[in-house]
């Protein structure tokens, strides 16, 4: 008697199923025994945020959110590495990176990649950044003339299109047509015309309209003027308070800050001073080079100052 072929091979099929089940069970058990140190690193140990963006540049802050070492990283734009580096684990948790040469009005995808000792990697969340768009570069320049004779301008501060301050020395003519001996030192644009005025600074018990070297504003009603080593504060429509730093060496040249409670000024011989809303304090710059400019990030966490000396001892400096 001939038996069906299907019945002959049926026991072997069951045996093969048992073997497959045992193999899978062994693999499942081995996964539970995987030591913790070889598990993937969590992506929240490194992060990337946008600080600012312009037409062709973007400022990114890369941050390590733990104290583990090493802190070696790569920065990728659209999946391609553009820079790499390493931070000191004992003192530096973050760094500011500037990416330049970008296309106007374009979207980019950034990510930070952290490398560990075994070259395993962990990527931050992807950050999308858009450069600013420029509708037209066909600007038309017009000439505005202020003052007579030896008038000159030193600084400008644009708050909005109806509030622009300029400073310097602006000589006007008197009622007889003669150029006045004492200059005005500031002018404000209201969107229609310039209003020329005098800003006064303390000299002992008197006030004098000195040459204003710098102007910086946080709003139309919160404007700072600087002359020599003295300051005048335009607050709520009037000059309410005036300050003489008394700690600057020589002339001050530029100001920058995030508010009237966090204001910096730089000047001759490496001078950097800071105003906290109550008083001015000197900061040690570590240089005697004359500082000519200062600027910082919108959050105030990173501030740069620069300057230099003329011949015969040419030297330049950039401080952060």
């Amino acid at each position: 008697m001939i038996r069906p072929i299907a019945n002959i091979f049926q026991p072997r099929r069951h045996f093969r199923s048992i073997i497959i089940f045992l193999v899978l069970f062994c693999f499942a058990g081995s996964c539970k025994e995987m030591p913790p140190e070889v598990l993937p690193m969590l992506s929240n140990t490194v992060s990337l945020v946008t600080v600012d963006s312009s037409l062709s540049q973007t400022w990114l802050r890369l941050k390590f959110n733990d104290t583990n070492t090493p802190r070696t990283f790569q920065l990728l734009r659209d999946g391609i590495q553009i820079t790499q580096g390493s931070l000191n684990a004992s003192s530096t948790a973050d760094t500011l990176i500037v990416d330049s040469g970008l296309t106007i009005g374009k979207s980019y995808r950034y990510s930070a990649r952290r490398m560990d000792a075994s070259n395993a990697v962990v990527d931050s969340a992807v950050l999308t950044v858009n450069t600013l768009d420029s509708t037209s570069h066909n600007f038309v320049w017009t000439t505005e003339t202020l003052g007579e004779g030896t008038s000159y301008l030193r600084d400008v501060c644009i708050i909005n299109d109806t509030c622009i301050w300029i400073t310097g020395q602006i000589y006007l003519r008197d009622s007889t047509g003669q150029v006045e001996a004492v200059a005005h030192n500031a002018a404000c644009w209201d969107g229609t015309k310039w209003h020329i005025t005098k800003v006064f600074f303390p000299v002992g018990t008197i006030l004098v309209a000195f040459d204003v070297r710098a102007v910086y504003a946080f709003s139309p009603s919160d404007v700072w003027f600087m002359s020599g080593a003295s300051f005048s504060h335009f607050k709520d429509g009037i000059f309410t308070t005036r300050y003489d730093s008394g700690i600057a060496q020589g002339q001050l040249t530029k100001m920058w800050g995030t508010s009237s409670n966090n204001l910096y000024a730089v000047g001759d011989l490496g001078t950097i001073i800071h105003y906290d809303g109550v008083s001015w304090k000197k900061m040690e710059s570590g240089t005697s080079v004359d500082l000519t400019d200062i600027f910082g990030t919108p959050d105030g966490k990173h501030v740069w100052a620069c300057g230099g000396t003329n011949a015969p001892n040419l030297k330049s400096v950039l401080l952060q």
Side-chain angles (χ1 to χ4, degrees):
M1 179 178 180
I2 300 175
R3 289 180 298 175
I5 296 176
N7 292 336
I8 297 175
F9 289 97
Q10 188 171 4
R12 295 184 181 181
R13 188 183 307 128
H14 288 306
F15 179 74
R16 184 172 56 188
S17 300
I18 293 172
I19 293 176
I20 294 173
F21 174 78
L22 290 174
V23 171
L24 292 175
F25 179 80
C26 290
F27 273 110
S30 65
C31 290
K32 293 181 181 180
E33 299 301 323
M34 182 181 292
E37 58 269 20
V38 301
L39 292 176
M41 298 168 63
L42 297 176
S43 62
N44 60 8
T45 64
V46 59
S47 61
L48 198 63
V49 296
T50 306
V51 175
D52 201 1
S53 186
S54 65
L55 294 174
S56 60
Q57 289 183 317
T58 185
W59 288 260
L60 305 171
R61 174 166 290 109
L62 184 149
K63 183 178 181 180
F64 291 94
N65 302 313
D66 58 25
T67 58
N68 297 334
T69 57
R71 290 185 170 184
T72 302
F73 67 87
Q74 298 172 341
L75 180 66
L76 292 82
R77 183 208 312 133
D78 294 337
I80 300 174
Q81 178 183 322
I82 59 174
T83 190
Q84 63 181 358
S86 183
L87 300 185
N88 187 329
S90 62
S91 61
T92 307
D94 65 345
T95 185
L96 190 70
I97 302 175
V98 181
D99 188 19
S100 304
L102 304 178
T103 301
I104 296 174
K106 184 176 179 180
S107 178
Y108 293 92
R109 290 166 61 84
Y110 290 90
S111 63
R113 173 167 291 172
R114 180 174 187 169
M115 311 293 294
D116 70 9
S118 61
N119 288 327
V121 300
V122 54
D123 291 342
S124 69
V126 174
L127 178 67
T128 301
V129 179
N130 299 310
T131 55
L132 298 182
D133 193 12
S134 178
T135 56
S136 173
H137 289 287
N138 297 321
F139 297 105
V140 178
W141 294 89
T142 59
T143 301
E144 298 281 345
T145 302
L146 284 81
E148 302 282 349
T150 58
S151 298
Y152 57 85
L153 302 175
R154 286 191 180 272
D155 202 8
V156 60
C157 180
I158 301 174
I159 304 168
N160 54 49
D161 57 359
T162 61
C163 186
I164 302 172
W165 282 95
I166 58 174
T167 61
Q169 290 278 269
I170 305 171
Y171 291 92
L172 302 179
R173 294 187 181 274
D174 60 22
S175 58
T176 65
Q178 300 297 313
V179 176
E180 296 177 341
V182 180
H184 294 67
N185 56 7
C188 184
W189 174 259
D190 65 2
T192 304
K193 62 180 181 179
W194 289 101
H195 299 271
I196 300 174
T197 186
K198 290 182 179 179
V199 179
F200 293 94
F201 298 87
V203 179
T205 58
I206 64 173
L207 298 174
V208 181
F210 286 127
D211 173 11
V212 177
R213 298 178 65 90
V215 56
Y216 199 83
F218 303 104
S219 72
S221 60
D222 191 359
V223 187
W224 287 80
F225 300 88
M226 184 173 71
S227 177
S230 298
F231 300 85
S232 188
H233 189 193
F234 181 75
K235 182 69 173 176
D236 297 330
I238 59 174
F239 290 92
T240 55
T241 53
R242 298 176 177 89
Y243 307 89
D244 187 342
S245 67
I247 56 175
Q249 301 179 26
Q251 299 285 313
L252 296 172
T253 53
K254 277 289 185 177
M255 291 182 291
W256 178 87
T258 59
S259 72
S260 286
N261 296 323
N262 184 36
L263 183 64
Y264 297 84
V266 298
D268 295 347
L269 302 174
T271 295
I272 302 179
I273 59 177
H274 177 257
Y275 185 69
D276 61 5
V278 178
S279 62
W280 289 95
K281 293 181 175 62
K282 184 177 180 179
M283 304 179 70
E284 294 299 331
S285 67
T287 182
S288 59
V289 170
D290 296 340
L291 300 178
T292 56
D293 204 0
I294 183 169
F295 208 81
T297 56
D299 59 10
K301 291 184 178 180
H302 296 268
V303 184
W304 288 268
C306 66
T309 56
N310 296 322
N313 299 316
L314 295 174
K315 185 178 182 181
S316 61
V317 66
L318 176 64
L319 306 176
Q320 181 182 5

